[in-house]
Amino acid sequence: MQIDKNVEEDGVIFMSVKDKEEQPDSKDSTASDVKKDGDTIILALESSCDETAAAVVKNGREVMSNIISSQIALHTIYGGVVPEIASRKHVEKINGCIRTALSEAGVTLDDIDAIAVTYGPGLVGALLVGVSEAKAISFATGKPLVGVHHIEGHISANYIENKDLEPPFVCLVVSGGHSHLVVVKDYGEYDIIGQTRDDAAGEAFDKVARAIGLGYPGGPKIDKAAREGNPDAFSFPQAKIADAEYDFSFSGLKSAVLNIINQAKMQGQELSQADVAASFQKAVVEVLAGHAIRACKEYGMDKLAIAGGVASNTSLRELLEKECAKNGIRFYRPSPVLCTDNAAMIGAAAYFEYKKGVRFGLDMNAVPNLPLGDRERRYHGRSSR
Ligand code: KG4
Ligand code: ZN
């Protein structure tokens, strides 16, 4: 993946993500070059947290453009995402992202077959920006609307760089708000076999990073600090849940880290940030990888995919690579920039829904706590047309 980055005046990072191999010169191409008979082109929007993103995706797996406007720098001052600020920035940035996504793809709204948008889960004010924008475009153009579950988007990021990947497979979904172990039975069909009982994996990274003074966003900072540290310096607990072997719990681990920090403070000792980071990371990564490999074996699956922001963690990727090779499992992982929030993954997920005939009505609303895999039509706004 090639990422062109620009820091804007307000501190927002504007990124255009491109596949290294295919670099179409959109200025010289015409609509008939980019869209052949039978192609389905989706304009996808994502605004569930602190990234405003727009992408154009062809046939679910080919990213024609992928624009991400990241607010991380703005929220860093507050030590976490401030929902109000996130919503306001989405309103400012979304039209610019869409305009660039269309022009980089070399298409116009006329070439688009459907508009896809994340409608949950996420911050309600943030989601509403993308949802309202998508509805407005659908209303103005008469093109169909497809609502996408954010986590289904993360899972579908795997389809983009792995053209051969097809369900069924096991997917470990680890983001800032979710930790799920799922069996992807078919496109858009999921069995959740494990989930977190308390903190999500990314949340644990963020909280521990704050406690040891690394700041926000915690995941990438712990990942980096851990490279200089000793993962065996501290022995942190790896929670096992007796009645649900695939569930996760990270709150005990977080408390153990806090205890060590407090003890050191009371004894006037200086703790090595890198050692705590490496030991904490080892505890999280071993639990995640252990559950995922066990699930593959028990469910007879020879394919494992990972998804979500924490899936970009170097140590998790290395351990799973090793364990998968040892156990004859094919390991799929998106490039780090497709693990964290982006709209290309939403376009990929939307394609398979669109092909099944899923259409949302203009009464679609944001659903901040939308459960994963709920295919019932009980959410407001889901309709066929
Ligand atoms: O998927 P994502 O971008 O947003 C949500 O849907 O939540 O995930 C963000 C989370 C944050 O908690 C962040 O700290 C974590 O992913 N993260 C990482 C890494 N990069 C991002 N965690 C561990 N190691 C990383 N390299
Ligand atoms: Zn996410």
Side-chain angles (χ1 to χ4, degrees):
M1 288 280 142
Q2 180 186 306
I3 308 167
D4 291 331
K5 263 192 199 180
N6 239 328
V7 181
E8 300 187 339
E9 268 174 24
D10 56 4
V12 168
I13 301 167
F14 184 87
M15 288 182 270
S16 166
V17 182
K18 287 190 184 127
D19 203 323
K20 253 188 233 139
E21 290 114 57
E22 339 170 2
Q23 293 271 344
D25 191 348
S26 55
K27 284 183 207 78
D28 298 336
S29 57
T30 62
S32 58
D33 290 334
V34 291
K35 190 174 185 184
K36 305 266 182 292
D37 273 357
D39 280 346
T40 300
I41 297 185
I42 292 183
L43 168 66
L45 310 181
E46 153 65 39
S47 70
S48 65
C49 192
D50 60 344
E51 263 96 22
T52 324
V56 178
V57 178
K58 195 195 282 184
N59 303 330
R61 297 194 188 242
E62 188 187 325
V63 178
M64 300 173 75
S65 63
N66 188 14
I67 306 300
I68 306 165
S69 174
S70 168
Q71 309 171 8
I72 276 188
L74 306 188
H75 300 283
T76 300
I77 316 163
Y78 304 97
V81 177
V82 184
E84 276 270 307
I85 296 177
S87 309
R88 284 161 190 265
K89 276 293 157 195
H90 288 318
V91 168
E92 274 178 39
K93 303 289 177 182
I94 197 157
N95 281 322
C97 288
I98 294 172
R99 194 173 291 127
T100 313
L102 290 170
S103 76
E104 284 201 2
V107 297
T108 68
L109 285 175
D110 287 343
D111 305 309
I112 299 296
D113 294 288
I115 326 292
V117 64
T118 306
Y119 74 112
L123 302 169
V124 67
L127 288 166
L128 282 171
V129 177
V131 165
S132 305
E133 179 86 13
K135 285 166 69 168
I137 298 174
S138 170
F139 180 65
T141 59
K143 310 260 168 158
L145 192 60
V146 180
V148 174
H149 189 290
H150 181 75
I151 298 301
E152 293 190 19
H154 275 302
I155 295 170
S156 304
N158 282 285
Y159 298 131
I160 295 169
E161 291 161 295
N162 302 295
K163 313 288 181 208
D164 63 322
L165 176 62
E166 286 187 15
F169 58 90
V170 170
C171 189
L172 172 70
V173 188
V174 274
S175 75
H178 301 265
S179 301
H180 281 109
L181 195 55
V182 302
V183 174
V184 182
K185 293 184 293 183
D186 203 342
Y187 294 106
E189 281 184 37
Y190 309 94
D191 267 347
I192 301 173
I193 58 172
Q195 53 195 310
T196 183
R197 296 284 179 108
D198 37 61
D199 292 345
E203 201 178 346
F205 269 93
D206 293 335
K207 286 179 178 169
V208 165
R210 197 174 306 142
I212 60 176
L214 283 171
Y216 174 85
K221 291 196 168 157
I222 288 195
D223 194 343
K224 190 161 173 235
R227 282 176 218 153
E228 313 296 321
N230 172 8
D232 299 314
F234 303 99
S235 169
F236 288 130
Q238 299 185 5
K240 290 207 170 53
I241 294 150
D243 57 336
E245 58 169 331
Y246 293 118
D247 276 3
F248 305 102
S249 167
F250 297 110
S251 67
L253 169 59
K254 183 190 64 193
S255 304
V257 174
L258 294 179
N259 282 344
I260 280 186
I261 297 169
N262 288 337
Q263 262 171 26
K265 253 190 214 149
M266 281 182 336
Q267 291 163 359
Q269 287 170 350
E270 183 105 6
L271 270 186
S272 153
Q273 252 182 356
D275 283 352
V276 179
S279 306
F280 159 79
Q281 180 173 272
K282 180 181 175 198
V284 176
V285 160
E286 283 186 352
V287 167
L288 294 176
H291 281 33
I293 298 289
R294 227 164 349 99
C296 287
K297 288 189 191 162
E298 189 183 321
Y299 286 83
M301 298 276 172
D302 59 0
K303 290 181 272 186
L304 171 68
I306 53 172
V310 182
S312 58
N313 182 270
T314 323
S315 164
L316 178 65
R317 293 163 87 90
E318 280 169 8
L319 181 59
L320 279 175
E321 184 128 21
K322 206 170 73 192
E323 289 300 314
C324 283
K326 211 159 63 183
N327 290 285
I329 300 166
R330 276 199 72 177
F331 179 41
Y332 296 88
R333 63 258 183 244
S335 293
V337 73
L338 292 180
C339 287
T340 45
D341 290 351
N342 66 87
M345 67 185 196
I346 303 302
Y351 170 77
F352 299 103
E353 294 293 286
Y354 175 83
K355 282 292 184 195
K356 281 188 218 165
V358 172
R359 307 286 186 269
F360 280 57
L362 284 176
D363 55 349
M364 172 168 69
N365 208 342
V367 184
N369 55 359
L370 185 64
L372 176 66
D374 195 329
R375 316 313 290 175
E376 288 174 34
R377 294 173 179 261
R378 66 189 163 98
Y379 289 105
H380 198 53
R382 176 163 272 207
S383 70
S384 284
R385 65 179 199 186

